[in-house]
Amino acid sequence: MATEETVTDKIPEEIECTAVSPGYSTLGDIIPVSLHWKDVSVSTVKQQRELLRNVSGVARPGELLALMGASGAGKTTLLNMLMCRNLKGLNAEGMITVNGQEMGDKISTISGFAQQEELFVGTLTVKEYLMIQAKLRIDGSSQLREERVTDVMHQLKLWKCRDSRIGVIGEKKGISGGEARRLTFACEMLSNPSLLFADEPTTGLDSFMAESVIQILRGIAKTGRTIICTIHQPSSQIYQMFHRVIYLANGRTAFQGTPQESIAFFEQCGHRVPDEYNPSEWIIYKLAVQPGQEKESNERIQEIVDHYEESDHQKKVMGQLEDISEKGQPPAMHKANVFTQVKALSMRCGLDVWRAPQLTMAKIIQKILFGLFIGLLYLRTDYNDDHGIHNINGALFFIVGEYIYSTSYAIMMFLNNEFPLIAREYHDGLYNLWTYYIARCLTLMPLFSTDGLIFLFICYWMIGLNTSVIQLLYATIISLLACQASSAFGIAMSCIFPTAQMTSVMASPLLVLFRLFGGFYGDTDTFPAAIRWLQYTSMYRFAFEGLVVNQWSQIDQFHDVPNWSDTKRDVIFRYFSFHHWMIPVDIVGLIVISFGFYLIGFVALLVRMKKAR
């Protein structure tokens, strides 16, 4: 270990000006990146609380740099500043350059960010997920994407679990925590970034897994990349694996140098690391503000900071900051074209839908059972008396209700779960929000059309509804549109409200309102004029009217109704204030409602995304 540290502690000068090739990998040549930051200060806008004060530092190509310190020291704030992320509500000052040039928020186009929280589509396998990520991140041929994914899986030791489902913690068993963490890095490596940020890469992992992750980061750094991570109290062995460390305390730089130099530095400050202690834990303890000892702690921290600012370590860093001559910039990463985005996201969403047990088999079984139940309840209902006609109309209203309630609530519970992942990928610039929205809506259509038709066709013949070709066709069209209108409603509600519970609570009264204006519970034309117009916002109204008008527009040859006439038909329609010519209007109404809710959902999702930045 000592020999390796001696070699890697010194980064060759030529690496700063020449591209480095991974050799065996399809990741291609990279342009090494030196990241400099000088006099960075950050404070909150409202309370004017100081988070960082005059922090300066350097991250060089080919090295793994750790940002360390006690809780509240400013590690995450500095990382966010370097990435130009999550700075809302903050006053920020200072200069940050990449190879001598200020990039601002464009730094995200040349860098990757492996976040602490692991967010994936748990129903996909590791290889499937990476292939879809490759389609979104790599502008090239299918062969190049396939080879890149293969190389990344080998490099990050994911090859053995390539065909395993990712899973969801606490819900579905999948890959291990270490594999999930490596998968996070694999997604970022697909873009071949020269600069990689990582937030707490070892949190939640055991010592063996944590060491494996850091070893992989060292391997990535050896290819000429610059890696900066925050880390909290690493083990002694992991601590020695970093090329350099930066300690922060009370928003100021307390040390910057190699792990070995940090031990010697704190000994010079009068805080020798005991032999039985983990060096990083001891140093962080000395840089922390102890409860009940705030004054003594702040005085100790101030002495350490003052000692660092007068040390050779500080002078060395300041000397490196003076060398800010402009060098070549890595090529910016670009989004895939719109067609590729929609195709890749549709594939991901489609696999997720069909593999989600709460949406597939459970939903289809539910429709079969409900279809049989309604079919048996209204089995071969007689058309020759008013009771039979009333029962048929009741069955049609129940069919509409089953379409709308079950579809709306299934989607409400489903979409909210993936919002954090979409927000992350959208803000990482992987795709346009509207391409995701279209892909998600398109992939939900087949399932929520299929199960609705299964339900319809089971109970349709059991009840004994009219089966002429045109009536069966209209019933199918109206059923499909009712399912789509309820899908659009569910999507809109899940986009408006942040949690599944709130979505369910707020959607329930709206669905009751739509149901009341459906036409079955009363003649809507007799409602007060001030609220009568609400019937035209109800998918219940258009779907129920369409099915009733379609059912009684003519009697097929399988039903013997001697006294049937247009007059009797019109009596049924007048009871609900329906008209025999309304089927085209009902179809258009359902289409308009569907597009209206889809539009409301997209606007709501866009607003939520902007606020989540």
Side-chain angles (χ1 to χ4, degrees):
M1 178 66 72
T3 304
E4 183 182 5
E5 289 163 358
T6 303
V7 173
T8 55
D9 284 343
K10 184 177 180 181
I11 307 300
E13 297 295 331
E14 60 269 18
I15 200 172
E16 296 187 359
C17 58
T18 60
V20 179
S21 174
Y24 64 90
S25 176
T26 60
L27 291 173
D29 295 340
I30 63 166
I31 296 177
V33 160
S34 291
L35 181 64
H36 293 189
W37 60 98
K38 186 175 182 180
D39 297 330
V40 172
S41 298
V42 179
S43 61
T44 59
V45 173
K46 292 183 179 180
Q47 295 88 2
Q48 290 297 311
R49 185 165 63 91
E50 190 175 56
L51 304 179
L52 293 175
R53 190 203 316 173
N54 297 329
V55 174
S56 301
V58 176
R60 300 175 295 177
E63 70 177 16
L64 174 59
L65 172 66
L67 304 179
M68 303 180 66
S71 297
K75 305 184 298 294
T76 302
T77 303
L78 178 57
L79 189 70
N80 288 334
M81 271 294 295
L82 298 179
M83 297 185 297
C84 289
R85 285 174 177 252
N86 304 323
L87 300 178
K88 187 177 181 180
L90 300 177
N91 287 322
E93 299 176 355
M95 181 177 67
I96 301 173
T97 62
V98 177
N99 284 354
Q101 300 180 29
E102 294 190 56
M103 297 192 67
D105 57 5
K106 291 183 180 179
I107 194 171
S108 62
T109 64
I110 65 164
S111 64
F113 179 31
Q115 300 188 39
Q116 179 180 347
E117 187 178 4
E118 292 149 0
L119 298 173
F120 306 110
V121 180
T123 53
L124 273 61
T125 66
V126 169
K127 185 175 181 180
E128 287 171 344
Y129 189 79
L130 286 174
M131 282 302 302
I132 291 170
Q133 288 284 312
K135 291 179 180 179
L136 296 171
R137 295 172 182 265
I138 301 172
D139 185 15
S141 64
S142 298
Q143 181 180 355
L144 173 62
R145 296 185 184 118
E146 181 82 32
E147 293 174 351
R148 178 77 59 84
V149 167
T150 300
D151 286 339
V152 167
M153 285 193 293
H154 281 297
Q155 186 175 5
L156 279 88
K157 300 179 182 179
L158 292 169
W159 184 254
K160 290 184 179 180
C161 64
R162 65 189 183 278
D163 295 322
S164 301
R165 297 274 181 93
I166 297 172
V168 180
I169 296 176
E171 296 182 17
K172 302 174 187 175
K173 186 177 180 181
I175 59 179
S176 68
E179 289 167 337
R181 195 60 52 87
R182 296 200 297 272
L183 179 57
T184 299
F185 289 109
C187 293
E188 300 301 324
M189 287 300 295
L190 290 172
S191 304
N192 195 28
S194 298
L195 177 61
L196 182 62
F197 298 98
D199 184 21
E200 301 280 359
T202 61
T203 297
L205 302 179
D206 59 38
S207 58
F208 175 79
M209 288 293 186
E211 185 177 344
S212 172
V213 168
I214 299 301
Q215 189 62 53
I216 286 173
L217 289 179
R218 279 181 65 95
I220 294 173
K222 286 180 181 179
T223 63
R225 292 172 173 81
T226 305
I227 303 180
I228 303 173
C229 69
T230 60
I231 195 163
H232 186 68
Q233 292 184 332
S235 67
S236 299
Q237 190 168 357
I238 290 177
Y239 183 61
Q240 298 297 333
M241 294 171 69
F242 293 107
H243 296 109
R244 289 197 308 122
V245 295
I246 295 178
Y247 281 99
L248 297 173
N250 287 348
R252 301 178 65 186
T253 306
F255 176 77
Q256 185 168 179
T258 67
Q260 295 80 7
E261 290 172 344
S262 70
I263 298 173
F265 171 79
F266 277 86
E267 185 173 354
Q268 294 171 5
C269 295
H271 305 290
R272 181 181 177 275
V273 180
D275 294 338
E276 68 275 12
Y277 267 81
N278 178 342
S280 64
E281 289 185 1
W282 177 261
I283 293 172
I284 291 174
Y285 174 78
K286 291 298 180 181
L287 293 175
V289 177
Q290 305 298 327
Q293 303 178 19
E294 287 81 3
K295 183 178 179 181
E296 296 86 346
S297 298
N298 286 321
E299 289 176 352
R300 180 178 64 248
I301 292 171
Q302 184 63 46
E303 290 176 1
I304 295 172
V305 170
D306 291 342
H307 192 277
Y308 168 73
E309 291 179 348
E310 296 173 0
S311 68
D312 292 337
H313 301 293
Q314 167 75 345
K315 294 176 183 177
K316 182 179 179 182
V317 171
M318 298 308 294
Q320 293 172 340
L321 287 173
E322 295 299 323
D323 180 21
I324 56 173
S325 57
E326 294 189 4
K327 303 171 186 177
Q329 291 289 345
M333 294 177 283
H334 300 286
K335 295 178 184 176
N337 61 59
V338 170
F339 175 76
T340 303
Q341 289 180 37
V342 173
K343 183 179 178 182
L345 292 170
S346 296
M347 181 182 299
R348 186 174 80 178
C349 295
L351 288 172
D352 188 35
V353 168
W354 288 105
R355 289 178 182 173
Q358 73 271 28
L359 285 183
T360 50
M361 286 306 299
K363 192 158 180 57
I364 291 174
I365 291 173
Q366 175 200 11
K367 293 299 184 184
I368 292 174
L369 292 177
F370 265 79
L372 292 172
F373 175 77
I374 295 302
L376 292 173
L377 184 64
Y378 296 99
L379 185 64
R380 311 309 296 178
T381 301
D382 189 4
Y383 287 15
N384 286 301
D385 58 57
D386 292 340
H387 293 294
I389 293 173
H390 182 73
N391 287 345
I392 291 289
N393 292 333
L396 294 175
F397 192 75
F398 184 90
I399 289 172
V400 172
E402 173 61 18
Y403 289 153
I404 294 173
Y405 258 85
S406 63
T407 300
S408 298
Y409 275 96
I411 291 179
M412 288 178 206
M413 301 300 108
F414 185 69
L415 281 182
N416 268 299
N417 296 332
E418 65 182 15
F419 179 80
L421 173 63
I422 305 310
R424 174 184 294 183
E425 292 179 334
Y426 170 69
H427 290 302
D428 284 346
L430 292 190
Y431 45 75
N432 299 306
L433 187 60
W434 64 269
T435 56
Y436 158 76
Y437 193 72
I438 289 175
R440 171 49 80 190
C441 294
L442 288 176
T443 52
L444 288 171
M445 284 183 181
L447 175 61
F448 290 101
S449 299
T450 302
D451 71 333
L453 293 181
I454 290 174
F455 173 70
L456 175 69
F457 293 148
I458 288 176
C459 64
Y460 199 91
W461 278 274
M462 292 181 70
I463 295 172
L465 300 178
N466 288 304
T467 56
S468 68
V469 174
I470 189 65
Q471 286 174 302
L472 188 58
L473 178 62
Y474 274 138
T476 302
I477 292 173
I478 293 167
S479 297
L480 289 174
L481 291 176
C483 289
Q484 292 312 308
S486 54
S487 296
F489 173 76
I491 289 173
M493 296 301 291
S494 64
C495 290
I496 292 171
F497 300 104
T499 65
Q501 292 78 7
M502 186 179 293
T503 302
S504 177
V505 169
M506 299 305 295
S508 182
L510 285 176
L511 287 174
V512 170
L513 184 66
F514 291 149
R515 192 180 185 98
L516 288 173
F517 283 94
F520 185 74
Y521 296 117
D523 185 347
T524 54
D525 283 351
T526 64
F527 289 177
I531 62 172
R532 192 182 305 159
W533 60 271
L534 288 173
Q535 65 181 302
Y536 301 112
T537 66
S538 171
M539 51 271 206
Y540 273 99
R541 159 73 191 210
F542 291 112
F544 180 55
E545 181 178 48
L547 290 180
V548 168
V549 172
N550 180 60
Q551 165 64 20
W552 303 117
S553 59
Q554 63 177 356
I555 302 300
D556 63 24
Q557 67 272 23
F558 301 107
H559 296 87
D560 183 17
V561 186
N563 299 321
W564 185 260
S565 65
D566 289 349
T567 302
K568 190 170 184 178
R569 176 201 67 184
D570 292 340
V571 169
I572 297 173
F573 293 165
R574 280 198 300 272
Y575 179 79
F576 298 109
S577 295
F578 294 165
H579 304 283
H580 68 275
W581 43 266
M582 284 294 291
I583 289 182
V585 176
D586 295 326
I587 290 174
V588 172
L590 289 171
I591 293 173
V592 170
I593 288 176
S594 299
F595 277 104
F597 279 129
Y598 279 131
L599 180 60
I600 291 171
F602 178 74
V603 173
L605 183 61
L606 184 62
V607 171
R608 283 181 65 185
M609 284 295 174
K610 298 299 182 184
K611 291 182 177 180
R613 179 59 175 172

